[in-house]
Structures are given as structure tokens and as C-alpha cells.
Amino acid sequence: MIKNKNIFTSIDGDCTDVLQAALDAAAANGHPIELGPGIHRCGALTLPSGLDLVLGEGATLRFSADPLAYAGNRVDVIAESSNTAMMLARNGTRIRISGKGAIEAPGPAFIIGRLDDMGTHVPAAERPRVLILQDCEEVELRDFSIRSSPMWTIHLITCHGVRVEGVSVDNDREMPNTDGIVIDSCQDVTIRHCDIATADDGVVLKTSQGPDGKPVGICRNIVVAHSRIESRSCALKIGTETHGDVEDITFTDCEILRSNRAIGIFSRDGGRIRNVVSRRIRLDAHETPDGFWGSGEAITVNVVNRRPEKPAGRVEDIVFEDIEGSMEGAVNLVADSPSGIGNLRLRRLNIRQDDGPYRGHRYDVRPTHFDLAPSPDAAGRANAWVKDENGQVIGLVPYPGGMPALYSCNVDGLAMEDVCFQRPATLPVGWNTQAIVVQDGVDSVWS
């Protein structure tokens, strides 16, 4: 029910229908609506244009653990086997969600097992995403928190003019595919002062393909700034879905904590990636078990063809500058595809290299065609990891001559200025005596 000041008070049981009616009425009348203190239990919600939803302090929007509750909130852009949302806005304008309250997702209900050797839970096949906004303009998300997502947490698809500020995401660190914020084929998006902790990518830019097989759009003019990110996968990431172009991207003044890969750029599907600047980033990169892509890298840029009919797009005009912190892996710059990497600049890097607990000493070219379409008898989880007949994960590659601090392979126009790596006085077994290894003219293996 709605009382004075347009405050929605908590009721016993499921409030989906009553809350949906209240949201629609408030948006139609141009009035904010605030969720009052307490638990608000609900299923799928749709967000109308003009909605100004305030999650009041002490309010928790608790979503159902029944996947059938979201059958009506279907979207065309499918991720893994996920095609539904707990909260969905389509073709909306002037949508605002703010406040000090929380959205509580039913993540634990979608865990069906555990893989101790890979360090991950086994997720259910069909999991809803928490918040999807598709083809929306003038969106503001501010100050609220989301916890325990079973799948991607916030997914922006072909949106224009989005501002995300002060939002907190706290997900299970062992639940696959729980990306914090996914910016998919969007333009003019700013993310500031957010705090994200999750098992999968923290903030990730993608350009997905639609049901017609064509890119749904491009990603352009994206800024991520002044945020704290913890990720057991990649904290600040571009790719791997790159069917459309990605350009004019800035990651700046961020702190990356307890993450596997700190900053990553991955080209796989034909779209070009260009004009990307990562500046003033403090990072802390740690090795994780093989169930997570990566091996404790501070920076990863790689280009691999995973579909013979659609070569990966070129990555060019990339800048990393004023980067400091520690890593248990290396900096990896690998062009396995002929499309390649060009004009990549490293300026003022000061990174300490430590020996990690897993001593992987490998660089990671996943995802490859092995992950995309594994053989029927392959062990693993499709599009995540696949093991060969010897039980080794396909795509984890030993460094030639041992692990350096920086490995560059087939990069055209690599420039380095004031690049410093602090390594142990006595190098651990399996490390390369050369801190920087640059190779050119290496044949493609994985493309």
C-alpha cells in the first residue's frame, strides 16, 4: 500500500502485484516512490519510464528464489543460459533508482554443487540477472546496494546517458558469472564511487550479438572512475564478447583489491577496440584456482580468433599509465590472431611481482574455440574451462623460458617509458631471469 509521502510500506507475504501497481502509478503521476523500512518480498518487476524509486534506509527488496517468478521478464540478449531479469526496463527514459536500501537476490538458491579443484560453485543452468535496462536513456542508479546475485548483477544493453554512482555490489566470491556491472553496447555511461566485490568480472564492457547474429550495437564514451573493485576474475575488463566496436574508454583513479586479473582487454568476435586509457590505477592481483580465467596478472591484452568465420577485431591505441601495486602473475600482451595489437603504450608502471600460492607461471588465452564448442567427451564447463585428456585446462600456456614480469608477443608499436618491476632478489623456480620478454613473428596457435 502507499501512504502519505508516497511511501510503500512492507506487507506480509509477496508484494509483487501491489508494488508493481504502485511503481506504475508513481511514474505516471511524476512522483517519487519510497520503499519504507522492512522486507519487501517480490518476484519480477518492470520499471516504467519516469520512475523515481527510492530504496529507503532499512528497506530490503528481497527477490524470490523461484526462477519461474521471472518468466515474464525475458530479454533477447542471452548470457550463458540466462534470459530473464528480476527487474527489467525496456525503451525507458528518465529512470532513477536511489537510496540507502538494499536489493537482496537469491544467489544461494542457484548453487547446485561445488568443484573444489576449480574453486567454484556449480551454478544452475538458468539464472535470472538482477537488473536489466535495455534501450533506455537518462538513467541514474545511485547509492543503493545489491547482494547475492546468482548471475550478472546490473546489465545495461544499448542504453544512452547512464550514470551509476555510489552503488555497492557484494556477491559470492565463488559463484561463476556474477559480473558486477555489464555495459553492453552502450554510449555515454559514467560509473563513479562504486564498490564492487564479486567472483566474476567487476565492471565489464561487451558488445553482444542479438538473436539475428548481428551486433546489438557499439560501446563508446564510457568512464569508470574513483571506484573500488574486488574480482576473482577481471576487475576492469573489455570483452570477451566483442561483436561490435568498442572505443573511447577511460578507466581512472580506481583501486583494485584481491583480484585475479586487474585490467584486461580481450578481442574475440570481430569488433575493433581502440582508444582505451587506464590511468592512476592501484592494483593487487592474486592467482586463483584454474576455474577462474587468468593467473594473477596486473594487465592482460590478448587477441584470439575463436570463430573461423569471424576473425577477432584489432586492438589499438591503448594506454596504461601511472599503474602501481603488486601481482602474482605478469603483464601479458599477446596477439595470437593476425588482426593483432597495435600502438600500445606503457608509462610509469611500478609493480611488485610476488610468487603466488599456485605457482601457475602460465599465461591464459581463454576463451578459445575449445571453450566455445568443447568436444562431447571433454571435461569442464562450456565457455568457462575445458580439460584435455591429461586433465590440464586448455588455454593455460607456459611462458617461454619461465615467467617474466612482462610478456609481449606480436605487438606492433609497443612503447615503454619508466616501466619498473620489483622482483625477488632470488628468483623462484619457474621464473624467467629476464624481467621483460618481447617476441615478434610468432605463429598463431589458438586462432
Side-chain angles (χ1 to χ4, degrees), residues 13-31:
D14 185 276
C15 70
T16 305
D17 293 340
V18 180
L19 178 54
Q20 185 66 65
L23 298 179
D24 293 340
N29 294 324
H31 297 150

Side-chain angles (χ1 to χ4, degrees), residues 157-207:
I157 309 170
T158 54
C159 292
H160 292 69
V162 179
R163 186 176 184 88
V164 184
E165 185 153 354
V167 170
S168 172
V169 173
D170 187 4
N171 292 331
D172 190 318
R173 309 299 194 272
E174 297 183 342
M175 184 65 159
N177 309 119
T178 50
D179 303 47
I181 301 176
V182 180
I183 305 169
D184 191 344
S185 309
C186 297
Q187 300 185 51
D188 302 320
V189 177
T190 301
I191 296 173
R192 294 171 60 87
H193 301 293
C194 290
D195 196 335
I196 297 168
T198 189
D200 220 303
D201 303 323
V203 177
V204 54
L205 283 58
K206 300 178 182 287
T207 46

